[in-house]
Amino acid sequence: MTPPPDAAELLARGELTVRGRIREASNAALYCTVSHDGRAAACIYKPVAGERPLWDFPDGTLAQREVAAYEVSEATGWGLVPPTVLRDGPYGEGMCQLWVEAAPEAELLALVDGEEPEPGWKAIGSAEVGEGRTALLVHADDERLRRLAVLDAVVNNADRKGGHLLPTGEGRLYGIDHGVTFNVENKLRTLLWGWAGEPLTREAVDVLEGLRKDLAEGGALAARLQPLITGAEIDATRARVGALLASGKHPEPSGEWPAIPWPPV
């Protein structure tokens, strides 16, 4: 699906009606419809009141970080995060994000035998599959995933799981669940390590150059992030963009903690 150009306005101004709860979510996540002036859409509403406090993300809210990730995604021009706004709802202030229907037949992750991935795939690492057997966990060598890997490095995503990847029937790819992002410390945990240490694409470098300008003092993106995350977190985001441009490469695991989130899917 391609979001309508006024999706953010609909999410921000429309009337929210709760239809159910996403029980698999670790924090309160409510499936809703939003309607305004004859338009309607499905969405996810995550009220701040339903968040579980995290000791290592003490500042702000998960909802604000979700919106901040959307703002950075929009600044890249890649549109990798569904339209997301911060608004009041039936249970108070929260994040409201356009619902995306994933295409179940799209294969982005796989477990394969052998020590090396087949052409068109990138290795993530070994995984136990039961009865003492291991298999190679791989992800697709996909331009959309590579862009998402760059976005995750910028926002310092601490939880990029397979279930957070939503490919659509129209060929688009979205990433969701960005509540644990923007920490001032390096917390990048992701399944998208296939390009670790490889040179960034020319497109990615151009996008990062644009982000550096937008994140500078007085920049448009810096202004949009100020109500959402702390000044120290904005400074850290600037530093991550600068480090990516200085190295010219995709980041590699730090080795200080598990690089892959658990569970991975």
Side-chain angles (χ1 to χ4, degrees):
M1 59 163 285
T2 299
D6 57 354
E9 179 187 9
L10 174 61
L11 292 171
R13 300 181 60 188
E15 180 180 357
L16 274 179
T17 302
V18 177
R19 304 296 184 183
R21 180 170 182 172
I22 311 298
R23 297 193 178 277
E24 298 83 2
S26 55
N27 295 280
L30 304 175
Y31 178 75
C32 302
T33 54
V34 60
S35 57
H36 181 70
D37 281 350
R39 296 170 296 153
C43 61
I44 291 294
Y45 162 54
K46 297 182 181 180
V48 172
E51 295 180 2
R52 297 179 182 178
L54 298 174
W55 67 268
D56 52 347
F57 286 84
D59 300 311
T61 67
L62 305 186
Q64 288 171 309
R65 296 174 190 280
E66 294 240 32
V67 179
Y70 166 69
E71 293 290 355
V72 175
S73 169
E74 287 299 283
T76 66
W78 287 333
L80 294 169
V81 178
T84 313
V85 302
L86 194 68
R87 59 160 293 169
D88 285 330
Y91 299 101
E93 185 177 66
M95 178 278 281
C96 189
Q97 185 175 81
L98 191 70
W99 176 266
V100 172
E101 287 287 350
E105 68 277 6
E107 190 174 21
L108 298 176
L109 301 168
L111 283 168
V112 298
D113 294 323
E115 297 181 356
E116 295 294 332
E118 295 290 328
W121 295 88
K122 290 284 189 178
I124 303 169
S126 297
E128 294 185 8
V129 293
E131 300 180 355
R133 293 181 57 246
T134 61
L136 187 65
L137 180 61
V138 298
H139 67 68
D141 187 2
D142 187 302
E143 177 186 73
R144 302 167 302 169
L145 287 179
R146 192 166 190 172
R147 290 171 174 173
L148 193 58
V150 173
L151 176 67
D152 283 343
V154 171
V155 304
N156 197 15
N157 193 348
D159 195 34
R160 174 61 72 205
K161 298 176 180 176
H164 300 167
L165 304 173
L166 301 182
T168 73
E170 297 176 344
R172 295 196 61 162
L173 175 70
Y174 292 99
I176 60 170
D177 283 351
H178 296 99
V180 285
T181 48
F182 295 102
N183 202 295
V184 296
E185 299 179 5
N186 178 14
K187 290 185 177 289
L188 183 61
R189 291 194 305 169
T190 176
L191 284 177
L192 305 181
W193 287 117
W195 298 279
E198 292 187 14
L200 295 165
T201 64
R202 180 70 251 177
E203 177 195 45
V205 171
D206 290 343
V207 164
L208 290 167
E209 290 284 8
L211 286 181
R212 178 154 61 182
K213 294 177 182 177
D214 282 350
L215 285 166
E217 292 287 349
L221 179 56
R224 292 196 297 273
L225 293 180
Q226 283 174 359
L228 301 169
I229 58 177
T230 68
E233 289 164 341
I234 295 174
D235 287 342
T237 305
R238 293 186 183 111
R240 288 191 295 272
V241 170
L244 286 167
L245 285 168
S247 72
K249 298 179 180 179
H250 286 268
E252 299 180 78
S254 67
E256 297 175 5
W257 50 76
I260 297 175
W262 186 263
V265 178

